[in-house]
Amino acid sequence: MLLLDIGLVLLGLTLLIAGGEALVRGASTLAARVGISPLVIGLIVVSSATSAPEFAVTIGAVVEGEPGLAVGNVIGSNIANVLLILGFSAMVSPLAINRQVVRFDIPVMLGVTALFLGLTLDGEIGLIDGILLLLGLVLHAVVSVVIGRRDAATLDQPDAEAALNTKPVPLWLAALLLVGGVALLVGGAQALVTGAVNIALDLGVSSLVVGLTVVAIGTSLPELATSLVAIRRGERDMAVGNIVGSNIFNIGLVMGVPAIIFREGIPVPQAAVALDIPLMLAAALALLPIAFTGFIVARWEGTLFVALYVSYLAYVVLAATEHDAVTGFSIVMLWFVLPLIAITVIALSAYEIRLHRKKPPASSGN
């Protein structure tokens, strides 16, 4: 059985890479044809597509009576998206952040994350909670499309299309690539998660821990595959927009719709309310000062994000296995590593803000 599970993981990775390539190429062509910027395509179309694995896993977990897995999947995926996926993408290539993302989309992501934290304080996500989360997603999508079409109207469409896709394809093929990419991403994530969960459950850890770690990373791999392909094609707006938009979709759609469907409410483990959801909010907050300092996520900032994620993952695993090292690890993180990182980020942010103020205003809107 172990070899079968390893085979499922490898198959899933292969499908994710192929799906990311197809999805980005199809979405890029559609963006140019319908007059919507690649940023908005990343925030809406690609984000909803790459959130499909999380949605499938969450629905299945609720049906199977595993609310811990459902909630852990969403929380863990959002933490992984910012710290691991965005961090690793920035390590590959520094990411330029569009001003719309900084002024509108990141604050929306922070708002829905804070709303999610507030709604879980009573220990469950109910019908009204689900409606509120879904409404937040719908409002963000509508405003994003309006802003995107307004900005795209100022562009020369032939030049925009050439920049978006060096090998344009017919519209029908672009739609086929988009649908096929979604199918490959969903199938790849499902194969990977099935194999990885079987391996993790053999270790005897809880469904919440499995959701926060194995399932979260597995269902976040579509975001990684899509972001790396977008970077390789020079569409960094789509790479960043995909990650921010995916976090909004994970909360608004992946948690909101199941809560509406299953009206009795989805229980939220107290351990998640006490630690993991606040950490999800902290990860989102960490992106804001970086975005404001030069509108670029540099390689060193990406490295810091990945290091933070590895530390979080190590803590979750040590706590789940009740390892003797968890006490010492917690003390080191609480009294040394986290304050040092906080001081470094504050100092460097203040330095970059001073440099940014001295620079003459840029003529470009990006």
Side-chain angles (χ1 to χ4, degrees):
M1 290 298 294
L2 180 60
L3 291 177
L4 178 60
D5 292 331
I6 293 174
L8 284 174
V9 170
L10 295 176
L11 174 63
L13 288 172
T14 303
L15 294 177
L16 288 174
I17 294 172
E21 176 73 24
L23 188 65
V24 171
R25 188 171 182 186
S28 299
T29 300
L30 290 175
R33 295 295 179 86
V34 302
I36 298 178
S37 70
L39 171 63
V40 175
I41 291 293
L43 283 165
I44 306 300
V45 179
V46 179
S47 295
S48 62
T50 55
S51 291
E54 284 92 339
F55 184 72
V57 169
T58 298
I59 291 289
V62 174
V63 170
E64 295 295 327
E66 291 286 350
L69 178 61
V71 175
N73 171 41
V74 171
I75 299 170
S77 291
N78 277 21
I79 295 174
N81 281 346
V82 174
L83 298 184
L84 178 63
I85 309 303
L86 185 113
F88 184 78
S89 298
M91 289 173 65
V92 173
S93 177
L95 300 176
I97 301 182
N98 188 285
R99 291 179 184 270
Q100 177 191 327
V101 175
V102 175
R103 295 170 177 169
F104 176 64
D105 301 298
I106 293 179
V108 170
M109 180 181 69
L110 289 171
V112 296
T113 304
L115 174 63
F116 180 66
L117 174 60
L119 295 176
T120 59
L121 293 178
D122 61 355
E124 70 172 15
I125 296 292
L127 174 62
I128 302 300
D129 301 335
I131 292 174
L132 290 175
L133 294 175
L134 187 60
L135 281 176
L137 170 65
V138 172
L139 288 174
H140 171 258
V142 171
V143 175
S144 294
V145 170
V146 170
I147 294 175
R149 291 191 67 87
R150 182 196 64 192
D151 294 343
T154 64
L155 298 176
D156 184 4
Q157 287 302 314
D159 292 340
E161 182 170 336
L164 281 169
N165 202 330
T166 56
K167 295 181 180 179
V169 296
L171 190 60
W172 67 267
L173 183 55
L176 185 61
L177 286 171
L178 191 65
V179 174
V182 173
L184 288 172
L185 287 175
V186 174
Q190 288 294 91
L192 186 144
V193 169
T194 299
V197 167
N198 288 339
I199 296 172
L201 290 179
D202 287 340
L203 302 177
V205 297
S206 69
S207 62
L208 174 62
V209 173
V210 172
L212 288 169
T213 56
V214 178
V215 177
I217 295 174
T219 55
S220 290
L221 285 177
E223 283 85 351
L224 177 61
T226 303
S227 295
L228 291 180
V229 171
I231 289 172
R232 183 166 62 85
R233 291 184 174 275
E235 297 166 12
R236 299 184 185 184
D237 276 356
M238 183 181 289
V240 177
N242 169 44
I243 292 169
V244 174
S246 180
N247 276 17
I248 297 172
F249 268 88
N250 282 347
I251 294 176
L253 179 73
V254 178
M255 280 293 354
V257 172
I260 295 172
I261 295 174
F262 304 98
R263 299 185 179 184
E264 61 273 16
I266 301 175
V268 179
Q270 284 301 311
V273 178
L275 175 65
D276 302 297
I277 300 178
L279 282 177
M280 177 176 68
L281 179 59
L285 282 168
L287 183 59
L288 196 57
I290 290 176
F292 272 115
T293 53
F295 297 95
I296 292 176
V297 182
R299 281 194 172 94
W300 75 265
E301 293 166 329
T303 303
L304 177 61
F305 273 26
V306 172
L308 285 172
Y309 184 75
V310 172
S311 300
Y312 165 72
L313 206 61
Y315 174 80
V316 171
V317 172
L318 290 174
T321 57
E322 299 181 351
H323 195 279
D324 294 339
V326 68
T327 302
F329 185 86
S330 301
I331 293 173
V332 171
M333 287 293 295
L334 182 61
W335 296 108
F336 178 69
V337 177
L338 293 181
L340 179 62
I341 291 173
I343 292 172
T344 302
V345 171
I346 291 172
L348 289 174
S349 296
Y351 174 73
E352 290 189 26
I353 289 173
R354 287 198 298 270
L355 289 180
H356 184 64
R357 287 178 175 174
K358 292 179 181 178
K359 293 180 181 179
S363 58
S364 174
N366 291 331

